[in-house]
Coordinates of all heavy atoms in Angstrom, one line a residue:
K8 N 2.8 -6.2 7.2 CA 1.6 -6.0 6.4 C 1.8 -6.2 4.9 O 0.9 -6.2 4.1 CB 1.0 -4.7 6.6 CG 0.5 -4.5 8.0 CD -0.1 -3.1 8.2 CE -0.7 -3.0 9.6 NZ -1.3 -1.7 9.8
L9 N 3.1 -6.2 4.4 CA 3.4 -6.2 3.0 C 2.8 -7.3 2.2 O 2.2 -7.1 1.2 CB 4.9 -6.1 2.8 CG 5.4 -5.9 1.4 CD1 4.8 -4.7 0.8 CD2 6.9 -5.9 1.4
A10 N 2.9 -8.5 2.7 CA 2.4 -9.7 1.9 C 0.9 -9.6 1.7 O 0.4 -9.8 0.6 CB 2.8 -11.0 2.6
S11 N 0.2 -9.3 2.8 CA -1.3 -9.2 2.7 C -1.7 -8.0 1.8 O -2.7 -8.1 1.1 CB -2.0 -9.1 4.1 OG -1.5 -8.0 4.8
T12 N -1.0 -6.9 1.9 CA -1.3 -5.8 1.0 C -1.1 -6.1 -0.4 O -1.9 -5.8 -1.3 CB -0.4 -4.6 1.4 OG1 -0.6 -4.2 2.8 CG2 -0.6 -3.4 0.5
C13 N 0.0 -6.8 -0.7 CA 0.3 -7.2 -2.1 C -0.8 -8.1 -2.6 O -1.3 -8.0 -3.8 CB 1.6 -7.8 -2.3 SG 3.0 -6.7 -2.2
E14 N -1.2 -9.0 -1.8 CA -2.3 -10.0 -2.2 C -3.6 -9.2 -2.4 O -4.3 -9.5 -3.4 CB -2.5 -11.1 -1.1 CG -3.5 -12.1 -1.5 CD -3.1 -12.9 -2.8 OE1 -1.9 -13.1 -3.0 OE2 -4.0 -13.3 -3.5
Y15 N -3.9 -8.3 -1.5 CA -5.2 -7.5 -1.7 C -5.2 -6.7 -3.0 O -6.2 -6.7 -3.7 CB -5.3 -6.6 -0.5 CG -6.6 -5.7 -0.6 CD1 -7.8 -6.3 -0.5 CD2 -6.4 -4.3 -0.7 CE1 -9.0 -5.5 -0.6 CE2 -7.6 -3.5 -0.7 CZ -8.8 -4.1 -0.7 OH -9.9 -3.3 -0.8
V16 N -4.0 -6.1 -3.3 CA -3.9 -5.3 -4.5 C -4.1 -6.2 -5.7 O -4.8 -5.9 -6.7 CB -2.6 -4.5 -4.6 CG1 -2.3 -3.9 -6.0 CG2 -2.6 -3.4 -3.5
K17 N -3.5 -7.4 -5.7 CA -3.6 -8.3 -6.8 C -5.1 -8.7 -7.0 O -5.6 -8.8 -8.1 CB -2.7 -9.6 -6.5 CG -2.7 -10.5 -7.6 CD -1.7 -11.6 -7.3 CE -1.5 -12.6 -8.5 NZ -0.5 -13.6 -8.2
E18 N -5.8 -9.0 -5.9 CA -7.2 -9.4 -6.0 C -8.0 -8.2 -6.6 O -8.9 -8.5 -7.4 CB -7.7 -9.7 -4.6 CG -7.2 -11.1 -4.1 CD -7.6 -11.4 -2.7 OE1 -8.5 -10.7 -2.1 OE2 -7.1 -12.3 -2.1
L19 N -7.7 -7.0 -6.2 CA -8.4 -5.8 -6.7 C -8.2 -5.7 -8.2 O -9.2 -5.5 -9.0 CB -8.0 -4.5 -6.1 CG -8.5 -4.2 -4.7 CD1 -7.8 -3.0 -4.1 CD2 -10.0 -4.1 -4.7
L20 N -7.0 -5.9 -8.7 CA -6.7 -5.8 -10.1 C -7.4 -6.9 -10.9 O -7.9 -6.7 -12.0 CB -5.2 -5.8 -10.3 CG -4.4 -4.7 -9.7 CD1 -2.9 -4.9 -9.8 CD2 -4.7 -3.4 -10.4
Y35 N 10.6 0.4 -0.4 CA 10.5 -1.1 -0.6 C 9.1 -1.6 -0.7 O 8.9 -2.6 -1.3 CB 11.3 -1.8 0.5 CG 10.7 -1.8 1.9 CD1 9.8 -2.7 2.3 CD2 11.0 -0.8 2.8 CE1 9.2 -2.7 3.5 CE2 10.4 -0.7 4.0 CZ 9.5 -1.7 4.4 OH 8.9 -1.7 5.6
V36 N 8.2 -0.9 -0.1 CA 6.7 -1.3 -0.3 C 6.3 -1.0 -1.7 O 5.7 -1.8 -2.4 CB 5.8 -0.5 0.7 CG1 4.4 -0.8 0.4 CG2 6.2 -0.9 2.1
L37 N 6.7 0.1 -2.3 CA 6.4 0.4 -3.7 C 7.1 -0.6 -4.6 O 6.5 -1.0 -5.6 CB 6.9 1.9 -4.0 CG 6.1 3.0 -3.5 CD1 6.8 4.3 -3.8 CD2 4.7 3.0 -4.0
D38 N 8.3 -1.0 -4.3 CA 9.0 -2.0 -5.1 C 8.2 -3.3 -5.1 O 8.1 -3.9 -6.2 CB 10.4 -2.3 -4.5 CG 11.4 -1.1 -4.7 OD1 11.1 -0.2 -5.5 OD2 12.4 -1.0 -4.0
A39 N 7.7 -3.7 -3.9 CA 6.9 -5.0 -3.9 C 5.6 -4.8 -4.6 O 5.2 -5.7 -5.4 CB 6.7 -5.4 -2.4
L40 N 5.0 -3.7 -4.5 CA 3.7 -3.5 -5.2 C 4.0 -3.4 -6.7 O 3.2 -3.9 -7.5 CB 3.1 -2.2 -4.7 CG 2.5 -2.2 -3.3 CD1 2.1 -0.8 -2.9 CD2 1.3 -3.1 -3.3
Q41 N 5.1 -2.9 -7.1 CA 5.4 -2.8 -8.6 C 5.5 -4.2 -9.1 O 5.1 -4.5 -10.3 CB 6.7 -2.0 -8.8 CG 7.1 -1.9 -10.3 CD 8.2 -1.0 -10.5 OE1 8.6 -0.2 -9.7 NE2 8.8 -1.1 -11.7
K42 N 6.1 -5.1 -8.4 CA 6.2 -6.5 -8.9 C 4.8 -7.1 -9.1 O 4.6 -7.8 -10.1 CB 7.0 -7.4 -7.9 CG 8.5 -7.0 -7.9 CD 9.3 -7.9 -6.9 CE 10.7 -7.4 -6.9 NZ 11.5 -8.1 -5.8
V43 N 3.9 -6.8 -8.2 CA 2.5 -7.3 -8.3 C 1.9 -6.7 -9.6 O 1.3 -7.4 -10.4 CB 1.7 -7.0 -7.1 CG1 0.2 -7.3 -7.3 CG2 2.2 -7.8 -5.9
L44 N 2.1 -5.4 -9.7 CA 1.5 -4.7 -10.9 C 2.0 -5.2 -12.2 O 1.3 -5.5 -13.1 CB 1.8 -3.2 -10.8 CG 1.1 -2.5 -9.6 CD1 1.6 -1.0 -9.6 CD2 -0.4 -2.5 -9.7
V47 N 0.5 -8.6 -13.1 CA -0.9 -8.6 -13.5 C -1.2 -7.7 -14.7 O -1.9 -8.0 -15.6 CB -1.8 -8.1 -12.3 CG1 -3.3 -8.0 -12.7 CG2 -1.7 -9.1 -11.1

Side-chain angles (χ1 to χ4, degrees):
K8 294 181 179 181
L9 186 57
S11 60
T12 300
C13 287
E14 185 60 33
Y15 178 66
V16 168
K17 187 174 185 177
E18 289 174 13
L19 285 173
L20 294 171
Y35 70 88
V36 174
L37 288 174
D38 293 341
L40 289 170
Q41 181 172 345
K42 289 178 184 175
V43 171
L44 296 174
V47 177

